Amino acid sequence: MSKQEVILCENLEESLGHALEKCPHDKLFILTDEHTDRLCLPALKEVPQLKNAIEIRIGAEDIHKTLDTLASVWMALSEKGATRHSLLINLGGGMVTDLGGFAAATFKRGLAYINIPTTLLAMVDASVGGKTGINFNGLKNEIGAFAPANSVLIETEFLRSLDAHNFISGYAEMLKHGLISDKAHCRTAGIRY
Ligand SMILES: NC(=O)c1ccc[n+]([C@@H]2O[C@H](COP(=O)([O-])OP(=O)(O)OC[C@H]3O[C@@H](n4cnc5c(N)ncnc54)[C@H](O)[C@@H]3O)[C@@H](O)[C@H]2O)c1
């Protein structure tokens, strides 16, 4: 599996600019869900390279991590003229980065993509490592592919609008990593044993 760059952003606009320079593309697409479209996309509106980006919006939450939603993303890419050299930015939680990553991995046999995770869970886990996919036949992540994002840009400012439930869900993931990792990692998460 090819390497992916994970960047802890001090300046999202600048980091995204560098990430885009490293991925020459003919067309640029941004995938959001109905919440990240409203709450997170405005933070990218000033990035000059995104001026002509084509937005694709899907429903929010795991209920939409389906073949139908995936097909709607393929359809949008196809109708808007995406080619093998187009680039997709996934702006959202783990649902968007999983489904968008799989859409990128499969459209025209694979487009480059960048993840900008907007939930804690996606920042600490889902957006990194290249596991992409959708739910199918009532089973979680039943269909998918390993396909790492070219870059993962972590901007913690996005967490300001996250609700407590989703914040705790991400924190639980961090604790799990700590518990199955080592004592030093655990201590950074505030666990003593
Ligand atoms: N690929 C992997 O390695 C991996 C690992 C763990 C989990 N996952 C997958 O990740 C998904 C869960 O991810 P999740 O917990 O991020 O859920 P999610 O993507 O469904 O997001 C949860 C909710 O938060 C909203 N949201 C996102 N960013 C927001 C923000 N900044 N402010 C306010 N609301 C925001 C979303 O619109 C959604 O309503 C599952 O599909 C799971 O299978 C993948």
Side-chain angles (χ1 to χ4, degrees):
M1 199 160 52
S2 59
K3 277 193 173 169
Q4 71 181 179
E5 186 180 42
V6 180
I7 298 162
L8 297 178
C9 299
E10 283 178 10
N11 178 325
L12 176 62
E13 197 174 318
E14 217 174 273
S15 300
L16 181 55
H18 289 147
L20 289 170
E21 272 168 31
K22 288 186 193 163
C23 288
H25 51 274
D26 55 4
K27 284 191 177 177
L28 183 57
F29 294 82
I30 302 185
L31 181 68
T32 58
D33 71 26
E34 58 200 288
H35 300 144
T36 61
D37 168 63
R38 183 168 49 86
L39 298 167
C40 306
L41 189 58
L44 303 182
K45 285 288 187 212
E46 300 306 316
V47 180
Q49 295 95 324
L50 299 192
K51 202 159 57 84
N52 297 320
I54 299 161
E55 193 192 343
I56 305 173
R57 193 173 65 157
I58 57 178
E61 305 282 337
D62 236 52
I63 193 173
H64 290 108
K65 197 174 149 182
T66 61
L67 187 56
D68 281 349
T69 308
L70 176 66
S72 76
V73 175
W74 284 332
M75 187 62 83
L77 289 169
S78 179
E79 285 180 345
K80 301 288 180 186
T83 74
R84 176 79 186 80
H85 306 289
S86 298
L87 176 69
L88 177 67
I89 297 175
N90 297 318
L91 178 69
M95 196 282 279
V96 170
T97 58
D98 271 19
L99 187 143
F102 190 49
T106 46
F107 190 81
K108 301 266 186 198
R109 301 196 182 102
L111 310 181
Y113 75 99
I114 291 173
N115 277 342
I116 308 183
T118 59
T119 63
L120 184 56
L121 186 136
M123 288 178 194
V124 299
D125 191 359
S127 70
V128 184
K131 286 194 270 174
T132 72
I134 55 164
N135 304 331
F136 184 71
N137 193 24
L139 299 167
K140 279 284 293 169
N141 303 323
E142 180 74 344
I143 310 288
F146 287 97
N150 288 51
S151 303
V152 180
L153 307 183
I154 314 266
E155 170 52 272
T156 53
E157 279 297 307
F158 286 125
L159 298 177
R160 288 189 189 280
S161 55
L162 199 63
D163 60 82
H165 171 84
N166 279 298
F167 202 86
I168 289 166
S169 157
Y171 191 63
E173 198 63 38
M174 291 167 69
L175 291 180
K176 187 187 91 185
H177 279 281
L179 287 168
I180 60 179
S181 178
D182 53 44
K183 281 191 179 179
H185 191 125
C186 256
R187 278 195 286 274
T188 62
I191 309 167
R192 301 261 181 268
Y193 68 90

